[in-house]
């Protein structure tokens, strides 16, 4: 049973296109995240949702729009893709315990290549 | 400003040698959490350990051990008797309670190559 799953695993597309990446977790966690890992392996938070509410929105271009239809899903839509968007995108989830920062469980990643 | 510094970019060791990965963090919070994650060549991120700022006990798990020193803001990770399967990128990360909403601030990672 996959705890945090992402689709697709690989995404190759042309500049200017719009694409979505889906994420689902079956761990019953309240909080979900999107991270971006660049070509130098640097991981940076993009967004976080807690019970469908946006709680972290880093300085990400507004071409990126997360959507959380329910607390088990957090999708990432990207408009007008640019070359610099090429990266691996990781979804993660964690339980929400007041005053405690629990470990985050990561999905397998989606490798996005913009041509 | 970089909150987590992992100075050694790539470390090569011969199998069975020990390897220590340094992690230095920076925070003004008194309550925070530190983590280590492993990213093997297959690409997934695997959680290894979480430590809160009030628990300075060192920890050992099999061949892995961690040394947390608040006085030097360091949370170092040692792999004893390394094996080829330990070849991976290891990330140290910080989560601040009063700032961050549980976001993980990652270091740049240590690429460990274990040579058979």
């Amino acid at each position: 049973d996959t705890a945090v799953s992402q689709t697709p695993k690989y995404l190759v597309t042309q500049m200017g296109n719009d694409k979505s990446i889906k994420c689902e977790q079956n761990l019953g966690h309240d909080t979900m995240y999107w991270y971006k890992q660049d070509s130098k392996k640097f991981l940076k938070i993009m967004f976080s949702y807690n019970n469908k509410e946006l709680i972290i929105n880093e300085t990400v271009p507004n071409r990126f729009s997360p959507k959380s239809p329910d607390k088990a899903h957090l999708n990432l839509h990207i408009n007008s893709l640019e070359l610099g968007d090429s990266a691996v995108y990781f979804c993660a989830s964690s339980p929400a315990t007041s005053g405690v920062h629990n470990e985050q469980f990561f999905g397998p990643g989606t490798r996005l290549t913009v041509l | 400003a970089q909150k987590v510094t992992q100075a050694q970019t790539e470390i090569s060791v011969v199998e069975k040698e020990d390897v220590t990965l340094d992690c230095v963090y920076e925070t003004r919070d008194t309550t925070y959490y530190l983590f280590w994650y492993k990213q093997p060549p297959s690409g997934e991120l695997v959680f290894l350990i979480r430590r809160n700022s009030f628990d300075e006990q060192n920890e050992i798990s099999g061949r892995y051990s961690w040394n947390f020193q608040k006085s030097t803001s360091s949370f170092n990770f040692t792999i004893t008797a390394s094996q080829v399967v330990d070849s991976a990128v290891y990330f140290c990360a910080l989560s601040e309670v009063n700032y961050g909403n549980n976001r993980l601030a990652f270091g740049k990672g240590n690429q460990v190559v274990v040579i058979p």
Side-chain angles (χ1 to χ4, degrees):
Chain A
D1 285 346
T2 306
V4 182
S5 59
Q6 296 178 226
T7 52
K9 189 162 172 61
Y10 300 96
L11 186 51
V12 181
T13 188
Q14 300 285 334
M15 257 173 47
N17 284 349
D18 303 338
K19 289 293 177 187
S20 291
I21 307 172
K22 295 187 176 182
C23 177
E24 176 181 1
Q25 54 97 1
N26 62 7
L27 298 166
H29 291 166
D30 300 298
T31 310
M32 296 184 72
Y33 314 79
W34 278 110
Y35 287 85
K36 178 180 179 180
Q37 185 172 44
D38 64 22
S39 58
K40 294 184 178 170
K41 298 266 186 192
F42 185 57
L43 275 155
K44 193 170 186 329
I45 183 82
M46 299 173 70
F47 301 103
S48 173
Y49 272 72
N50 183 267
N51 275 320
K52 304 194 300 175
E53 182 185 340
L54 180 67
I55 56 171
I56 295 175
N57 185 349
E58 282 296 281
T59 49
V60 176
N62 58 15
R63 297 181 296 103
F64 289 79
S65 51
K67 282 192 173 52
S68 182
D70 55 62
K71 75 173 195 177
H73 295 84
L74 180 61
N75 303 324
L76 183 65
H77 188 76
I78 316 169
N79 288 329
S80 304
L81 278 155
E82 300 178 357
L83 294 177
D85 299 331
S86 295
V88 180
Y89 292 85
F90 284 97
C91 177
S93 73
S94 68
T97 309
S98 178
V100 176
H101 287 195
N102 294 300
E103 59 268 28
Q104 295 178 20
F105 294 83
F106 284 80
T110 296
R111 182 175 293 276
L112 171 65
T113 303
V114 182
L115 303 174
Chain B
Q2 184 72 24
K3 288 181 181 284
V4 178
T5 302
Q6 295 177 255
Q8 312 131 298
T9 312
E10 182 166 329
I11 305 163
S12 293
V13 296
V14 176
E15 204 172 15
K16 296 185 184 170
E17 285 182 346
D18 298 348
V19 55
T20 295
L21 310 180
D22 297 331
C23 173
V24 175
Y25 61 92
E26 184 185 323
T27 179
R28 287 178 292 181
D29 270 358
T30 53
T31 306
Y32 51 89
Y33 289 78
L34 295 161
F35 302 80
W36 276 94
Y37 281 84
K38 174 182 179 180
Q39 188 173 40
S42 49
E44 71 273 24
L45 283 157
V46 179
F47 165 76
L48 295 178
I49 190 171
R50 178 189 70 171
R51 239 324 159 249
N52 76 46
S53 50
F54 298 111
D55 182 0
E56 282 194 77
Q57 276 197 349
N58 292 331
E59 177 149 342
I60 299 174
S61 174
R63 295 183 298 105
Y64 293 171
S65 61
W66 291 268
N67 183 327
F68 177 27
Q69 302 222 345
K70 277 179 84 167
S71 59
T72 55
S73 297
S74 65
F75 186 42
N76 298 337
F77 172 32
T78 298
I79 303 172
T80 303
S82 59
Q83 300 176 0
V84 172
V85 293
D86 296 326
S87 296
V89 180
Y90 292 87
F91 292 97
C92 181
L94 166 71
S95 180
E96 297 165 292
V97 170
N98 291 317
Y99 168 76
N101 286 315
N102 211 16
R103 78 186 68 201
L104 288 173
F106 284 91
K108 292 186 176 178
N110 301 119
Q111 170 83 60
V112 172
V113 178
V114 180
I115 303 162

